[in-house]
């Protein structure tokens, strides 16, 4: 029997220990309990996506592309990831099941592709765990270089284990508060950029967009003139292909959301605002506060100045010291630490859930599918914690070099997963059409489809092939294997699985859009469960906080004051 033809399950009721109320759960949720509320899912989407790239590595690409190159590279790639997000959104809201996008590939395309996609996604998350720990250790060297790498790795993994092994609700609460610190830091840095550029700084220097004029908007990379500016922008886009992410993190927790059909649409629809604000906004601000040829930044990147990779090398910190603003760099570095802790925490959560579903579906050893009575996949979490020990590589190699290893490996895995999601969506779209199901009846109708899926799949392929475009001159054999080995491994793995398991491609019009009864279970769950009320955090970050709501709130406060 093909793997996609699984037996349908029935709805069951699981006691919610934390609230004392009975909670209806689809058994198709594979024993993962729905304990994450709307605010936890919203902030998980932010916490999982914003980390190393925004706070540690983005500034090092400024000399490659210049302020305009960095801004354009990130803007173009954010538009692409928005297209990918729309593919995730329509399918995940329709069927919020565990490891949903891999399940969709298995049911609607081919189990061989799903098998390969599952390992690509898992490896991406697994490599990101030691990457975040490595970045966190780099930040610690801002204060002292006496902290051993081994100590940092063990302490951070112990924290991750405590937050991920006891209760999904505990994880959600921790992620909520950690992500708030991350959001506060971004708002603070944006505020710092605006007020200092208009002259609110100790030097009374209203520098504005000075550095866009001198030394100029574009830097030259690998070549000179307009060609060098082009390659600089491409290099920034290559970094953005690693940095800009998010829809996969929301999709990895849809099976544990309390009211998925109510919570998820706002999470996905607000993604475009998160892209524009956090990623594009950061790229713009970094190019404003210092010039791309800043000698201090160049010294950090070249390794001739100590502190490269920490907030000492951050354009914001360099600008603060130049303006004689003391103390703030320490605050920024401290909040960066909590931000990376949040990001790594969310990534380990996503990786463990992916491995859990892989074990259940036969794509990994079966014992990874075992859970505690409270629905925690302890063996999967334990395996991901062990992989986090790869951060120990920083003992022998320079920590920043190790971080680059993980960044390139994760980029290939991430873009392969995005390509698979777009291909799966095209099959979903065409199956709906052939089977006579109107997309207007879906709980979430994605925009710009099917064109968005074409754009997402094409750009993902280009990102994988262009990842190592700058290793050819001069040629680096080491980086060639790091950048392109997995690009060859994934197709070979898919072919082997197809031969060994004898999987069949699911022709358009024959796909089981009900996922073996799982969609019906979700429908029944939504009919029976009492929807969680929407809170202010959700409304603020979901993009649903409309002006009329804000006006109504202000008027109500004014009336309260008048009454007093």
């Amino acid at each position: 029997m093909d793997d996609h033809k699984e037996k349908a399950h029935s709805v069951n009721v699981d006691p919610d220990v934390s609230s004392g109320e009975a909670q209806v759960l689809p058994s198709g949720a594979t024993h993962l309990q729905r304990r994450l509320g709307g605010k936890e899912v919203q902030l998980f989407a932010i916490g999982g996506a914003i980390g190393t790239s925004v706070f540690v590595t983005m500034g090092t690409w400024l000399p490659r592309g210049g302020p305009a190159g960095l801004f354009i590279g990130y803007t173009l790639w954010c538009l692409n990831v928005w297209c990918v997000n729309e593919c995730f959104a329509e399918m995940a809201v329709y069927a919020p099941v565990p490891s949903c996008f891999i399940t969709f590939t298995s049911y609607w395309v081919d189990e061989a592709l799903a098998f390969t996609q599952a390992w690509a996604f898992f490896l991406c998350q697994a490599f990101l765990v030691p990457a975040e720990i490595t970045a966190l250790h780099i930040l610690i060297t801002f204060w002292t270089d006496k902290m051993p790498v081994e100590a940092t790795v063990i302490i951070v993994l112990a924290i991750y284990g405590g937050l991920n092994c006891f209760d999904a609700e505990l994880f959600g609460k921790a992620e909520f508060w950690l992500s708030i610190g991350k959001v506060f830091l971004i708002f603070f840095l944006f505020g710092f950029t605006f007020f200092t550029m208009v002259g609110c700084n100790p030097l009374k220097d209203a520098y504005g967009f000075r550095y866009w004029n001198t030394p100029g908007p574009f830097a030259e990379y690998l070549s000179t003139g307009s060609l060098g500016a082009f390659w600089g922008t491409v290099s920034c886009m290559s970094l953005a292909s690693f940095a800009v992410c998010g829809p996969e993190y929301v999709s990895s927790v849809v099976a544990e959301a309390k009211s998925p059909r109510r919570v998820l649409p706002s999470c996905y629809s607000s993604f475009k605002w998160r892209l524009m604000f956090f990623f594009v906004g950061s790229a713009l601000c970094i190019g404003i506060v210092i010039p791309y040829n800043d000698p201090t930044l160049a010294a950090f990147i070249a390794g001739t100045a100590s502190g490269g990779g920490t907030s000492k090398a951050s354009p914001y910190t360099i600008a603060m010291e130049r303006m004689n603003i003391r103390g703030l760099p320490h605050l920024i570095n401290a909040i960066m630490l909590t931000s990376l802790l949040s990001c790594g925490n969310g990534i380990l959560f996503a990786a463990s859930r992916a491995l859990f579903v892989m074990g259940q579906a036969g794509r990994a050893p079966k014992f990874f599918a075992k859970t505690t009575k409270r629905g925690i996949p302890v063996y999967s979490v334990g395996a991901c914690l062990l992989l986090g020990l790869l951060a120990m590589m920083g003992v022998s190699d320079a920590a920043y070099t190790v971080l680059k290893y993980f960044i390139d490996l994760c980029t290939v895995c991430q873009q392969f997963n995005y390509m698979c999601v777009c291909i799966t969506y095209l099959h979903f779209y065409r199956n709906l059409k052939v089977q006579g199901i109107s997309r207007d009846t879906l709980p979430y109708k994605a925009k710009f489809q099917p064109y968005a899926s074409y754009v997402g799949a094409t750009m993902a392929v280009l990102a994988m092939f262009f990842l190592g475009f700058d290793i050819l001159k001069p040629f680096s054999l080491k980086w060639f294997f790091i950048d392109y080995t997995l690009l060859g491994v994934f197709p070979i793995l898919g072919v082997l699985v197809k031969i060994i398991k004898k999987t069949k491609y699911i022709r358009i019009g024959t796909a089981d859009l009900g996922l073996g009864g799982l969609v019906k279970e979700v429908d029944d769950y939504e009919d029976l469960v009492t929807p969680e009320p929407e809170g202010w955090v959700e409304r603020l970050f979901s993009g649903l906080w409309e002006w009329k709501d804000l006006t109504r709130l202000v008027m109500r406060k004014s009336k309260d004051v008048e009454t007093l």
Side-chain angles (χ1 to χ4, degrees), residues 8 17 63 91 109 139 143 191 201 208 254 265 273 283 311 340 365 466 528 537:
V17 178
M91 296 187 294
V109 185
L139 289 182
W143 293 297
N201 58 71
V254 295
W273 305 118
S311 64
L340 294 187
F466 274 87
L528 294 173
V537 172

Side-chain angles (χ1 to χ4, degrees), residues 44 48 99 101-102 118 121-126 128-129 164 171 246 248-253 256 343-358 377 380-381 384:
F44 178 76
S99 199
F101 47 92
I102 296 170
F121 176 72
F122 169 70
L123 288 175
C124 178
Q125 306 309 306
L128 278 173
V129 173
N164 279 269
F171 162 83
E248 66 270 36
Y249 294 115
V250 178
S251 302
S252 66
V253 298
E256 295 177 77
C343 192
N345 185 44
I347 286 167
L348 190 136
F349 184 94
S352 63
R353 269 45 181 183
L355 185 59
F356 165 77
V357 177
M358 288 165 62
S380 296
V381 173
C384 294

Side-chain angles (χ1 to χ4, degrees), residues 84 88 244-248 414-422 460:
V84 178
F88 274 101
V244 182
C245 57
E248 66 270 36
Q414 179 172 295
Q415 295 310 314
F416 184 85
N417 180 48
Y418 282 0
M419 179 193 71
C420 292
V421 168
C422 293

Side-chain angles (χ1 to χ4, degrees), residues 9 13 47 119 143 182 295 321 422 445 461 467-469 491 535:
H9 304 279
V13 177
W119 277 100
W143 293 297
K182 182 176 300 187
E321 292 182 347
C422 293
K445 183 179 179 181
V461 173
L467 178 62
F469 79 94

Side-chain angles (χ1 to χ4, degrees), residues 151-197:
T152 302
V153 174
I154 297 301
I155 292 172
V156 174
L157 288 178
I159 295 173
Y160 289 166
L163 293 176
N164 279 269
C165 286
F166 293 106
D167 198 333
E169 192 170 19
L170 173 63
F171 162 83
K173 292 182 183 300
E175 190 63 20
F176 173 79
W177 291 109
L178 289 172
S179 296
I180 282 181
K182 182 176 300 187
V183 173
F184 167 79
L185 177 60
I186 289 183
F187 272 98
F188 177 81
L189 294 177
F190 286 0
F192 166 81
T193 302
F194 174 76
F195 286 110
T196 58
M197 71 185 292

Side-chain angles (χ1 to χ4, degrees), residues 253-403:
V253 298
V254 295
E256 295 177 77
K258 293 179 180 178
S259 308
R261 292 270 175 80
R262 186 195 65 74
V263 169
L264 297 178
S266 64
C267 290
Y268 285 112
S269 64
S270 66
F271 185 66
K272 56 183 177 292
W273 305 118
R274 293 198 295 271
L275 285 173
M276 182 177 67
F277 188 80
F278 294 117
F279 293 107
V280 177
S282 295
L284 177 63
C285 290
I286 282 177
I288 291 175
V289 294
I290 64 171
Y292 70 77
N293 62 352
D294 184 89
T296 304
L297 179 61
F300 282 126
I301 295 173
T304 57
S306 62
T310 73
S311 64
K312 288 182 182 178
S314 166
Y316 297 109
T317 302
I318 294 173
M320 289 174 187
E321 292 182 347
R322 190 157 296 153
M323 297 175 197
N324 298 321
I325 301 174
R326 307 298 179 186
L328 282 182
H330 293 275
L331 175 64
I332 290 175
N333 203 73
I335 301 178
M336 280 185 183
L337 281 175
T338 62
S339 299
L340 294 187
L341 191 67
S342 164
C343 192
N345 185 44
I347 286 167
L348 190 136
F349 184 94
S352 63
R353 269 45 181 183
L355 185 59
F356 165 77
V357 177
M358 288 165 62
Q360 190 182 57
R363 302 179 189 118
K366 289 290 185 181
F367 68 87
F368 287 123
K370 295 182 179 180
T371 66
T372 65
K373 293 181 179 180
R374 297 185 64 83
I376 306 299
V378 288
Y379 293 106
S380 296
V381 173
C384 294
L385 290 173
L386 289 176
L387 288 172
L389 293 174
L390 288 173
M392 294 285 188
M393 292 170 60
V395 174
S396 56
D397 289 336
Y400 203 66
T401 301
V402 173
L403 182 59

